[in-house]
Amino acid sequence: MGHITRRTAVKSTTVLGLAGFTGGLLAAPAAAEETAPDAEDTARPTSLNGWELVERTNHISTVWTRPVPGTECSIDVCTGDVEAVLVHVIRRFHYEVDELRKGDVIGWRAPSEVKKTLTESNQASGTAVQIRPGFYPAGSKGGFFSPQLMVIRDILAELDGVVRWGGDDSRPDESLFSIDVKPADARLTAVVEKIRVWKDTPGKGAGTPVDVRASGRRKAAKALESRQRGTAA
């Protein structure tokens, strides 16, 4: 057995002490990482349709300025699936309801500019647009002729209720069209896939004439109208 000097014993004791002290320091962050944050700490404010509010656009954001092909318009909109759907709505409106010009469509609005209890709050998450709000002011009805209204109902029906028209709300806003499902809803994904197929298929999609008076399309439109009126905000 080797001889242990006083110096060796002191050195060994110091190393062990430091090891224990260091272990204590490392243990605290590990324990903190395992502590789940409270739901209140992680919850973020959302618009009426359940999408997260956005304070700024075009800067570390989900909302960016996007063109609407075939029109002079561009909109601030939640990119991806929401963009695909709302752009489709605007294009059909442009081709079949009334021609749109630059500035006719308003997308995102700051959270401070909308009423959080109304459907217009969806604009603050980039998931709604107003088409010619000056022509169809909030609170009034009857802004569209019957053939135009038939097209609007057809647009909503072909999108399987993923979009809601503000004209059906208890306080109507006939200029407003908004996403009516929450994030990650399978219906949104399915509708976007349909739009993509239409874009790649000659004779399909926005800009292609459709018979909105066809019995099947009218039946679907009326059924959706009844459902969405029944859930008026």
Side-chain angles (χ1 to χ4, degrees):
M1 180 175 179
H3 179 67
I4 301 176
T5 65
R6 175 180 174 82
R7 181 176 179 178
T8 302
V10 170
K11 184 178 180 181
S12 299
T13 303
T14 303
V15 171
L16 288 172
L18 287 174
F21 182 65
T22 305
L25 288 176
L26 293 176
E33 290 175 0
E34 292 174 1
T35 303
D38 294 334
E40 293 183 359
D41 294 335
T42 59
R44 296 181 180 275
T46 64
S47 52
L48 201 61
N49 59 1
W51 293 72
E52 187 176 323
L53 297 181
V54 174
E55 294 291 339
R56 295 179 62 186
T57 66
N58 297 310
H59 178 76
I60 313 177
S61 174
T62 57
V63 175
W64 290 78
T65 304
R66 289 287 188 257
V68 180
T71 78
E72 299 175 356
C73 303
S74 61
I75 53 170
D76 292 334
V77 65
C78 182
T79 57
D81 289 352
V82 170
E83 175 190 352
V85 172
L86 293 180
V87 164
H88 178 80
V89 171
I90 297 167
R91 294 185 71 209
R92 278 204 63 184
F93 189 103
H94 171 74
Y95 293 128
E96 301 174 56
V97 178
D98 202 2
E99 182 179 350
L100 298 174
R101 293 174 175 80
K102 186 177 182 180
D104 277 349
V105 185
I106 300 173
W108 174 88
R109 291 164 63 195
S112 60
E113 296 178 2
V114 298
K115 294 182 179 178
K116 64 181 181 180
T117 57
L118 298 179
T119 311
E120 69 177 39
S121 75
N122 298 334
Q123 285 181 272
S125 60
T127 60
V129 296
Q130 287 177 302
I131 301 178
R132 288 185 172 168
F135 284 70
Y136 317 109
S140 63
K141 300 193 70 172
F144 293 99
F145 294 112
S146 180
Q148 295 174 316
L149 188 55
M150 195 175 295
V151 172
I152 289 173
R153 294 293 181 194
D154 188 78
I155 295 171
L156 302 176
E158 80 169 359
L159 296 177
D160 300 330
V162 163
V163 172
R164 181 181 184 85
W165 179 47
D168 288 331
D169 291 341
S170 52
R171 181 180 183 273
D173 183 348
E174 293 189 334
S175 73
L176 187 66
F177 296 83
S178 61
I179 298 297
D180 199 33
V181 294
K182 295 184 184 301
D185 192 300
R187 289 172 293 175
L188 177 59
T189 304
V191 163
V192 170
E193 184 57 31
K194 285 204 310 183
I195 293 173
R196 287 174 179 155
V197 170
W198 292 338
K199 287 174 64 177
D200 295 335
T201 306
K204 297 284 186 180
T208 301
V210 296
D211 184 6
V212 298
R213 293 180 172 82
S215 59
R217 297 183 79 99
R218 290 296 296 143
K219 182 178 180 181
K222 287 182 178 295
L224 179 62
E225 177 183 355
S226 179
R227 292 200 305 274
Q228 292 192 327
R229 282 182 179 275
T231 58

